[in-house]
Amino acid sequence: GAGVSQSPSNKVTEKGKDVELRCDPISGHTALYWYRQSLGQGLEFLIYFQGNSAPDKSGLPSDRFSAERTGGSVSTLTIQRTQQEDSAVYLCASSSDRGPSNEQFFGPGTRLTVL
Amino acid sequence: RKEVEQDPGPFNVPEGATVAFNCTYSNSASQSFFWYRQDCRKEPKLLMSVYSSGNEDGRFTAQLNRASQYISLLIRDSKLSDSATYLCVVAFYKLSFGAGTTVTVRA
C-alpha cells in the first residue's frame, strides 16, 4: 500500500518568507510526527499528533513554527519568517498507535533551503 | 547532555567482517529501544527492536544493558548493502534519536 508522502520534496526560499510543508500519513494511522534533521545530526522531534487529542508541541523551536492536522489525516507544518538556521530536511512519520513502541513509518522528507 | 549519544564512526569494514557499535542513553526511565537504518539521503526505516534479553534478526544482533544504559548492534558477515547510517532510538513518551553511526562495507 501507499506509504507516507511529503511535498514538496525540495523547497528553496528566501530568508523572511513563509513556507508550508505537507505530509500525507499512511491511511488509518492515528499518530503523526514531525522531525527535522540537519546535516550530520540526529532527528529532532518537533510535534506529535494523536487522534483528536491536543498535539504535543514541546519540540517546536520557536513560535515561528506551527502545525495542524486536518480531519485526522493530512498535516501541514508552517514556518513563518524563515531563517537560514531553518535549513534542514523535515521528516514526517506516522504510526498506527499512540505508544512509542510502535514502528514509525517515515516519508521521504522535504529538503528546505533558506537563502 | 544529549538524550542519546552514538559514536558517529565511520566504521569501514571489508565484506564478511563483523562490526559492532554502541549507543548510550541518559533517561533511565526509557521504555523501548530500537535501531533504525538510514541510507544516504533517504528516510529512516526500522531495522529492529531491542529487547531486554537481547535479540537476533538474521545477521543482526541487538543487546540492551539497562544498568549501564547502553544498547549495542552487531552485524555479522557484513554485506555491501549494509552500508548505511544506523540510528539508535530510545522511547520514553516520545522517540529520541541518536545522530547515527555510519558503516561502510567495502568489497
Side-chain angles (χ1 to χ4, degrees):
Chain A
V4 178
S5 61
Q6 292 186 244
S7 61
S9 55
N10 282 284
K11 176 70 177 179
V12 180
T13 190
E14 293 179 349
K15 178 181 173 181
K17 296 287 181 68
D18 298 350
V19 296
E20 284 190 354
L21 313 179
R22 177 187 168 106
C23 171
D24 281 273
I26 292 173
S27 177
H29 277 190
T30 56
L32 186 148
Y33 308 79
W34 282 99
Y35 299 89
R36 73 177 175 183
Q37 187 174 32
S38 301
L39 188 63
Q41 302 296 313
L43 273 69
E44 175 187 3
F45 166 77
L46 296 177
I47 188 169
Y48 157 49
F49 296 90
Q50 169 56 37
N52 295 321
S53 302
D56 176 355
K57 303 179 181 180
S58 60
L60 295 178
S62 78
D63 60 6
R64 296 186 295 104
F65 288 72
S66 62
E68 61 178 25
R69 189 179 185 191
T70 53
S73 181
V74 171
S75 177
T76 302
L77 177 69
T78 301
I79 309 173
Q80 296 178 309
R81 305 180 304 281
T82 52
Q83 304 295 313
Q84 289 184 332
E85 60 263 28
D86 299 335
S87 296
V89 176
Y90 288 81
L91 290 159
C92 173
S94 70
S95 68
S96 59
D97 200 352
R98 175 177 185 169
S101 60
N102 281 73
E103 179 179 0
Q104 293 190 11
F105 295 84
F106 285 82
T110 294
R111 185 173 299 275
L112 175 66
T113 303
V114 182
L115 302 177
Chain B
R1 183 183 173 189
K2 292 182 180 178
E3 292 183 47
V4 181
E5 298 207 47
Q6 294 185 247
D7 180 347
F11 288 78
N12 293 303
V13 299
E15 270 188 296
T18 295
V19 59
F21 41 90
N22 297 338
C23 89
T24 57
Y25 60 95
S26 61
N27 186 348
S28 60
S30 298
Q31 302 165 325
S32 306
F33 308 88
F34 311 90
W35 285 102
Y36 275 68
R37 170 191 170 131
Q38 186 172 26
D39 293 306
C40 188
R41 301 178 78 88
K42 298 286 190 181
E43 70 273 20
K45 294 184 180 179
L46 179 66
L47 177 66
M48 59 194 299
S49 301
V50 185
Y51 303 120
S52 296
S53 55
N55 50 296
E56 283 189 13
D57 184 358
R59 298 179 292 105
F60 297 81
T61 301
Q63 297 279 353
L64 167 64
N65 185 317
R66 284 189 183 271
S68 300
Q69 295 182 207
Y70 76 82
I71 306 151
S72 65
L73 182 66
L74 182 146
I75 308 173
R76 290 188 306 277
D77 187 23
S78 53
K79 312 291 185 189
L80 294 176
S81 57
D82 295 335
S83 296
T85 297
Y86 292 85
L87 306 176
C88 176
V89 185
V90 174
F92 180 40
Y93 73 94
K94 62 176 176 66
L95 296 187
S96 295
F97 287 76
T101 296
T102 298
V103 173
T104 302
V105 182
R106 62 182 188 275

Short mmCIF file of all heavy atoms in Angstrom, two decimals, chain B residues 78-106:
data_model
loop_
_atom_site.label_atom_id
_atom_site.label_comp_id
_atom_site.label_asym_id
_atom_site.label_seq_id
_atom_site.Cartn_x
_atom_site.Cartn_y
_atom_site.Cartn_z
N SER B 78 29.19 -9.05 7.20
CA SER B 78 28.65 -7.82 6.61
C SER B 78 28.65 -7.86 5.09
O SER B 78 29.55 -8.43 4.46
CB SER B 78 29.42 -6.61 7.13
OG SER B 78 30.81 -6.77 6.94
N LYS B 79 27.63 -7.26 4.53
CA LYS B 79 27.43 -7.17 3.07
C LYS B 79 27.59 -5.72 2.63
O LYS B 79 27.43 -4.79 3.42
CB LYS B 79 26.03 -7.65 2.69
CG LYS B 79 25.59 -8.97 3.31
CD LYS B 79 26.37 -10.12 2.77
CE LYS B 79 25.83 -11.45 3.33
NZ LYS B 79 26.72 -12.59 2.97
N LEU B 80 27.86 -5.55 1.35
CA LEU B 80 27.95 -4.20 0.80
C LEU B 80 26.67 -3.42 1.08
O LEU B 80 26.70 -2.21 1.36
CB LEU B 80 28.21 -4.25 -0.71
CG LEU B 80 29.55 -4.81 -1.15
CD1 LEU B 80 29.61 -4.89 -2.68
CD2 LEU B 80 30.71 -3.98 -0.62
N SER B 81 25.55 -4.13 1.04
CA SER B 81 24.25 -3.49 1.23
C SER B 81 24.00 -3.05 2.67
O SER B 81 23.01 -2.37 2.95
CB SER B 81 23.13 -4.43 0.79
OG SER B 81 23.21 -5.65 1.51
N ASP B 82 24.89 -3.44 3.58
CA ASP B 82 24.74 -2.99 4.96
C ASP B 82 25.28 -1.57 5.15
O ASP B 82 25.10 -0.98 6.22
CB ASP B 82 25.50 -3.93 5.92
CG ASP B 82 24.92 -5.33 5.97
OD1 ASP B 82 23.71 -5.49 5.67
OD2 ASP B 82 25.68 -6.27 6.28
N SER B 83 25.93 -1.03 4.15
CA SER B 83 26.46 0.34 4.25
C SER B 83 25.30 1.30 4.43
O SER B 83 24.39 1.39 3.60
CB SER B 83 27.23 0.69 2.97
OG SER B 83 28.37 -0.13 2.83
N ALA B 84 25.34 2.02 5.55
CA ALA B 84 24.24 2.91 5.92
C ALA B 84 24.61 3.61 7.21
O ALA B 84 25.66 3.35 7.80
CB ALA B 84 22.94 2.13 6.11
N THR B 85 23.72 4.48 7.64
CA THR B 85 23.84 5.08 8.98
C THR B 85 22.81 4.41 9.88
O THR B 85 21.63 4.30 9.52
CB THR B 85 23.61 6.59 8.94
OG1 THR B 85 24.65 7.19 8.14
CG2 THR B 85 23.66 7.20 10.33
N TYR B 86 23.26 3.97 11.03
CA TYR B 86 22.40 3.25 11.97
C TYR B 86 22.06 4.18 13.13
O TYR B 86 22.94 4.68 13.82
CB TYR B 86 23.10 1.96 12.44
CG TYR B 86 23.23 0.97 11.31
CD1 TYR B 86 24.31 1.04 10.42
CD2 TYR B 86 22.24 0.01 11.07
CE1 TYR B 86 24.41 0.17 9.34
CE2 TYR B 86 22.34 -0.87 10.02
CZ TYR B 86 23.43 -0.78 9.14
OH TYR B 86 23.51 -1.64 8.08
N LEU B 87 20.77 4.40 13.29
CA LEU B 87 20.27 5.33 14.30
C LEU B 87 19.79 4.57 15.52
O LEU B 87 18.94 3.68 15.41
CB LEU B 87 19.11 6.16 13.73
CG LEU B 87 19.36 6.92 12.43
CD1 LEU B 87 18.08 7.61 11.97
CD2 LEU B 87 20.45 7.95 12.63
N CYS B 88 20.32 4.94 16.66
CA CYS B 88 19.87 4.39 17.92
C CYS B 88 18.66 5.20 18.39
O CYS B 88 18.72 6.44 18.38
CB CYS B 88 21.01 4.48 18.93
SG CYS B 88 20.63 3.94 20.59
N VAL B 89 17.59 4.55 18.77
CA VAL B 89 16.35 5.24 19.11
C VAL B 89 15.85 4.74 20.46
O VAL B 89 15.75 3.53 20.68
CB VAL B 89 15.28 5.01 18.04
CG1 VAL B 89 14.03 5.82 18.34
CG2 VAL B 89 15.82 5.37 16.67
N VAL B 90 15.53 5.68 21.32
CA VAL B 90 15.09 5.37 22.68
C VAL B 90 13.75 6.02 22.90
O VAL B 90 13.54 7.18 22.53
CB VAL B 90 16.13 5.89 23.69
CG1 VAL B 90 15.63 5.70 25.11
CG2 VAL B 90 17.46 5.16 23.49
N ALA B 91 12.82 5.30 23.49
CA ALA B 91 11.48 5.83 23.70
C ALA B 91 11.17 5.97 25.18
O ALA B 91 11.35 5.02 25.95
CB ALA B 91 10.45 4.93 23.03
N PHE B 92 10.71 7.16 25.55
CA PHE B 92 10.11 7.33 26.86
C PHE B 92 8.64 7.62 26.57
O PHE B 92 7.86 6.72 26.32
CB PHE B 92 10.80 8.44 27.63
CG PHE B 92 10.22 8.68 29.00
CD1 PHE B 92 9.81 7.62 29.80
CD2 PHE B 92 10.09 9.96 29.50
CE1 PHE B 92 9.27 7.83 31.06
CE2 PHE B 92 9.55 10.18 30.77
CZ PHE B 92 9.14 9.12 31.53
N TYR B 93 8.23 8.85 26.49
CA TYR B 93 6.89 9.13 25.99
C TYR B 93 6.95 9.52 24.52
O TYR B 93 5.93 9.64 23.86
CB TYR B 93 6.21 10.21 26.82
CG TYR B 93 6.76 11.61 26.61
CD1 TYR B 93 6.16 12.47 25.70
CD2 TYR B 93 7.87 12.04 27.30
CE1 TYR B 93 6.67 13.74 25.50
CE2 TYR B 93 8.39 13.30 27.10
CZ TYR B 93 7.78 14.16 26.20
OH TYR B 93 8.28 15.40 26.00
N LYS B 94 8.15 9.76 24.03
CA LYS B 94 8.36 10.01 22.61
C LYS B 94 9.70 9.40 22.22
O LYS B 94 10.46 8.99 23.08
CB LYS B 94 8.34 11.50 22.30
CG LYS B 94 9.44 12.31 22.99
CD LYS B 94 9.39 13.75 22.55
CE LYS B 94 10.42 14.59 23.29
NZ LYS B 94 11.80 14.21 22.96
N LEU B 95 9.94 9.34 20.94
CA LEU B 95 11.20 8.76 20.48
C LEU B 95 12.30 9.81 20.48
O LEU B 95 12.09 10.94 20.06
CB LEU B 95 11.04 8.21 19.06
CG LEU B 95 10.08 7.05 18.85
CD1 LEU B 95 10.20 6.52 17.43
CD2 LEU B 95 10.33 5.94 19.85
N SER B 96 13.47 9.41 20.96
CA SER B 96 14.67 10.25 20.87
C SER B 96 15.68 9.53 19.99
O SER B 96 15.99 8.36 20.23
CB SER B 96 15.26 10.50 22.26
OG SER B 96 14.37 11.25 23.05
N PHE B 97 16.19 10.21 19.00
CA PHE B 97 17.09 9.62 18.02
C PHE B 97 18.53 10.06 18.28
O PHE B 97 18.79 11.24 18.53
CB PHE B 97 16.71 10.07 16.61
CG PHE B 97 15.47 9.44 16.06
CD1 PHE B 97 14.22 9.86 16.49
CD2 PHE B 97 15.54 8.43 15.12
CE1 PHE B 97 13.06 9.29 15.99
CE2 PHE B 97 14.39 7.85 14.60
CZ PHE B 97 13.15 8.28 15.03
N GLY B 98 19.44 9.10 18.17
CA GLY B 98 20.84 9.45 18.13
C GLY B 98 21.20 10.01 16.77
O GLY B 98 20.41 9.92 15.82
N ALA B 99 22.39 10.58 16.67
CA ALA B 99 22.83 11.20 15.41
C ALA B 99 23.28 10.15 14.39
O ALA B 99 23.47 10.48 13.22
CB ALA B 99 23.94 12.20 15.66
N GLY B 100 23.45 8.91 14.85
CA GLY B 100 23.75 7.85 13.90
C GLY B 100 25.21 7.43 13.87
O GLY B 100 26.11 8.23 14.15
N THR B 101 25.42 6.16 13.55
CA THR B 101 26.74 5.60 13.34
C THR B 101 26.83 5.16 11.88
O THR B 101 25.99 4.38 11.43
CB THR B 101 26.99 4.38 14.25
OG1 THR B 101 26.97 4.79 15.61
CG2 THR B 101 28.33 3.73 13.93
N THR B 102 27.81 5.68 11.17
CA THR B 102 27.95 5.36 9.75
C THR B 102 28.82 4.13 9.57
O THR B 102 29.92 4.05 10.11
CB THR B 102 28.54 6.55 8.98
OG1 THR B 102 27.65 7.65 9.10
CG2 THR B 102 28.71 6.22 7.51
N VAL B 103 28.31 3.18 8.82
CA VAL B 103 29.04 1.95 8.49
C VAL B 103 29.22 1.89 6.99
O VAL B 103 28.26 2.07 6.24
CB VAL B 103 28.27 0.71 8.98
CG1 VAL B 103 28.95 -0.57 8.49
CG2 VAL B 103 28.16 0.72 10.50
N THR B 104 30.45 1.66 6.57
CA THR B 104 30.75 1.48 5.15
C THR B 104 31.41 0.12 4.98
O THR B 104 32.46 -0.14 5.59
CB THR B 104 31.68 2.58 4.63
OG1 THR B 104 31.06 3.85 4.85
CG2 THR B 104 31.94 2.40 3.14
N VAL B 105 30.78 -0.72 4.19
CA VAL B 105 31.32 -2.04 3.90
C VAL B 105 31.95 -2.00 2.52
O VAL B 105 31.29 -1.64 1.55
CB VAL B 105 30.22 -3.12 3.97
CG1 VAL B 105 30.82 -4.50 3.71
CG2 VAL B 105 29.52 -3.08 5.32
N ARG B 106 33.22 -2.38 2.44
CA ARG B 106 33.94 -2.31 1.16
C ARG B 106 34.16 -3.71 0.61
O ARG B 106 34.28 -4.69 1.35
CB ARG B 106 35.27 -1.58 1.34
CG ARG B 106 36.22 -2.26 2.29
CD ARG B 106 37.50 -1.43 2.45
NE ARG B 106 38.51 -2.17 3.22
CZ ARG B 106 38.58 -2.19 4.54
NH1 ARG B 106 37.70 -1.49 5.26
NH2 ARG B 106 39.52 -2.88 5.15
#
